[in-house]
Amino acid sequence: MAESIRTDSIALINSVIYPMAYPGRSQAIFARGGVIEALGTDKEILAKCDTKTVVLDMKGRYIMPGFTDTHNHLLAAGRSLETLDLSDARSIDEMIGKGRHFLAENDISADGWFFARGWDQNRMAEKRFPNRFDLDLISSDIPLFFERSCGHIAALNTKALEILKIGAGFRISGGIINSDEKGEPNGVVSEAAVNWVRMNIPEHSAETLRHWYDLATEKMIRCGITSVQTDDLEMVGRTQGVFDLYESMEEEEKMPLRIAQQWHLRDEGELAAFIENGNNRRGGRYFRSGPLKIHVDGTLGARTAALREEYSDDPGNRGVYAHSQGELNRLVQRAQEAGMQVAFYAIGDGAIERCLNAVETANGATGSRIAHRIVHCQVGGADLYSRMAALGVMADIQPAFVTSDWPIVISRLDTERARWSYAWKSLINSGIPVGAGSDAPTEPLNPFVGIRAAILRQDINNEPEHGWMPSQCLDRVEAFSMYTSGGANICGELSWRGTLEPGKAADMVAFMEDPFIVTENELLNIETGLTVVDGKIRYIK
Ligand SMILES: [Zn+2]
């Protein structure tokens, strides 16, 4: 990682600045001690500089507030940058070939496991999940863990099942261990069982975690991301392990951007202990303890997202809830009493309804209000959106999902419900604060992938023709806001960062091309010229 260039004060001149705040465009910006002091003309800003100020002539480049990625899995995203990508496998045979080739070319030293992700049976000729017998053809000595693109279903080979002691009759609450005709596990696991596997893979060494951390943070800084909220507990296994990693990185000054951890704690007992130890209040200048993350349901792909009415293509099935309403109420109330924001993982309209019930109950019981947020927030409804707005519940969306999911949404849901799905424009028009994230490694870390998706609602081949549900397409200002001011807002930090205004954090990015002028497809190729966090240069082209 490039050493940061230390500066007390910094001035960027001869640029086009989009501050994402009133009064709009300016030419130059000045910051001292990590805080913006002024925006203005080159002449005005140069007048503030002294001999110690680092002055950069930006040669007409385009400056914006640094991006916020509101939700990803930082360590898994780092790992994915060097694991096998199966998203273009068109058959199980091709997947096996890619796996063998990867093993021949790479030294599998990451704690001895071979990780791959991105397969999707809908894109493969056989139209079925790969199982352990398929994966055994890649290796029978090395344990294999191949995740589906959604991260909610995975395939393991026989060696991995042996190491994890998953045999006939093995059960995980909330999870599914698929078996063959003989009742033996066939290597396919889903929902809570995938998390269980992740947590029970023998612990990754601190060195491996640091390596994945370096890969991810370096990539984010290059993409202009200056702030992120990440959920790493599954990967690390223990809350203390997460603190050890991130707090040591900050202490050693190896944290090039602001990072908050989203805590996916398992139950009320774990939450109570976490709060008791003051873990929710820990934080430094760069790393801090973030919201409680509660998984409320599953996914549309696996038909486990919790719906109010049955799935159109699976009569009788309304999906799966991870918690009863009572459990959910208690978790939210406990978090709210401790002043902790809740980031609900909720995809179906049934799940979102349950979240809103829990927030209402917690507000009544505590006499207080916290702006909580719903991560993903995919299948909605007019009634749900007006309740969200009234309760101040915010939306934390992953716009790139629409480009991957639209073909299945139409079969899972009828037209009326599909109309209220991935309905980003309706969320904004309902007065709900919206921020956006990548959910990497599910989708790429690059925020422009999500920005383009929010504007076009088309996949990489520009399908469907006018965008899926085109009335929900966002304009460019709305799309960029979700990754700047909107992102800071749903993280509860808009008062001190997220726009370029005097008094706010000097977290900014300069692009080589004008992001408000290039075509939507060209957004994907925009190059970052400079990333500044806390007034310090973290990346320079
Ligand atoms: Zn996620």
Short mmCIF file of all heavy atoms in Angstrom, two decimals, residues 71-73 231 293 345 376 439, ligand 1:
data_model
loop_
_atom_site.label_atom_id
_atom_site.label_comp_id
_atom_site.label_asym_id
_atom_site.label_seq_id
_atom_site.Cartn_x
_atom_site.Cartn_y
_atom_site.Cartn_z
N HIS A 71 -22.41 -0.76 2.53
CA HIS A 71 -22.45 -2.15 3.00
C HIS A 71 -21.64 -3.07 2.10
O HIS A 71 -21.96 -3.23 0.92
CB HIS A 71 -23.89 -2.67 3.07
CG HIS A 71 -23.97 -4.14 3.35
ND1 HIS A 71 -23.57 -4.67 4.55
CD2 HIS A 71 -24.33 -5.19 2.58
CE1 HIS A 71 -23.70 -5.99 4.50
NE2 HIS A 71 -24.16 -6.33 3.32
N ASN A 72 -20.59 -3.62 2.66
CA ASN A 72 -19.92 -4.71 1.95
C ASN A 72 -19.29 -5.65 2.97
O ASN A 72 -19.50 -5.51 4.18
CB ASN A 72 -18.91 -4.17 0.92
CG ASN A 72 -17.65 -3.58 1.52
OD1 ASN A 72 -17.24 -3.90 2.64
ND2 ASN A 72 -17.02 -2.69 0.78
N HIS A 73 -18.56 -6.62 2.47
CA HIS A 73 -17.86 -7.58 3.32
C HIS A 73 -16.39 -7.44 2.93
O HIS A 73 -15.93 -8.08 1.98
CB HIS A 73 -18.40 -8.99 3.09
CG HIS A 73 -19.89 -9.06 3.30
ND1 HIS A 73 -20.45 -9.40 4.51
CD2 HIS A 73 -20.92 -8.75 2.48
CE1 HIS A 73 -21.78 -9.33 4.40
NE2 HIS A 73 -22.09 -8.93 3.19
N ASP A 231 -19.18 -5.90 7.01
CA ASP A 231 -19.66 -6.97 7.89
C ASP A 231 -18.70 -8.14 7.73
O ASP A 231 -18.73 -8.84 6.73
CB ASP A 231 -21.09 -7.33 7.46
CG ASP A 231 -21.60 -8.63 8.07
OD1 ASP A 231 -20.91 -9.20 8.94
OD2 ASP A 231 -22.68 -9.07 7.67
N LYS A 293 -26.26 -5.59 12.94
CA LYS A 293 -26.87 -6.11 11.71
C LYS A 293 -27.74 -7.30 12.07
O LYS A 293 -27.28 -8.22 12.74
CB LYS A 293 -25.77 -6.52 10.73
CG LYS A 293 -26.31 -6.96 9.39
CD LYS A 293 -25.27 -6.79 8.29
CE LYS A 293 -25.80 -7.28 6.96
NZ LYS A 293 -25.17 -8.54 6.53
N TYR A 345 -31.08 -6.66 7.59
CA TYR A 345 -30.99 -7.29 6.28
C TYR A 345 -32.39 -7.77 5.96
O TYR A 345 -32.90 -8.69 6.60
CB TYR A 345 -30.01 -8.47 6.32
CG TYR A 345 -30.05 -9.37 5.11
CD1 TYR A 345 -28.98 -9.41 4.22
CD2 TYR A 345 -31.15 -10.17 4.85
CE1 TYR A 345 -29.02 -10.23 3.11
CE2 TYR A 345 -31.20 -10.99 3.73
CZ TYR A 345 -30.14 -11.02 2.87
OH TYR A 345 -30.18 -11.82 1.76
N HIS A 376 -30.72 -3.66 1.60
CA HIS A 376 -31.27 -4.33 0.41
C HIS A 376 -32.67 -3.79 0.09
O HIS A 376 -32.88 -3.27 -0.98
CB HIS A 376 -31.27 -5.87 0.51
CG HIS A 376 -29.91 -6.43 0.81
ND1 HIS A 376 -28.77 -5.93 0.22
CD2 HIS A 376 -29.49 -7.41 1.64
CE1 HIS A 376 -27.71 -6.59 0.67
NE2 HIS A 376 -28.12 -7.49 1.54
N ASP A 439 -22.21 -4.36 -1.52
CA ASP A 439 -22.32 -5.72 -1.00
C ASP A 439 -21.20 -6.60 -1.57
O ASP A 439 -21.37 -7.82 -1.68
CB ASP A 439 -23.69 -6.34 -1.27
CG ASP A 439 -24.03 -7.45 -0.28
OD1 ASP A 439 -23.35 -7.54 0.77
OD2 ASP A 439 -24.95 -8.24 -0.55
ZN ZN B 1 -24.03 -8.33 2.63
#
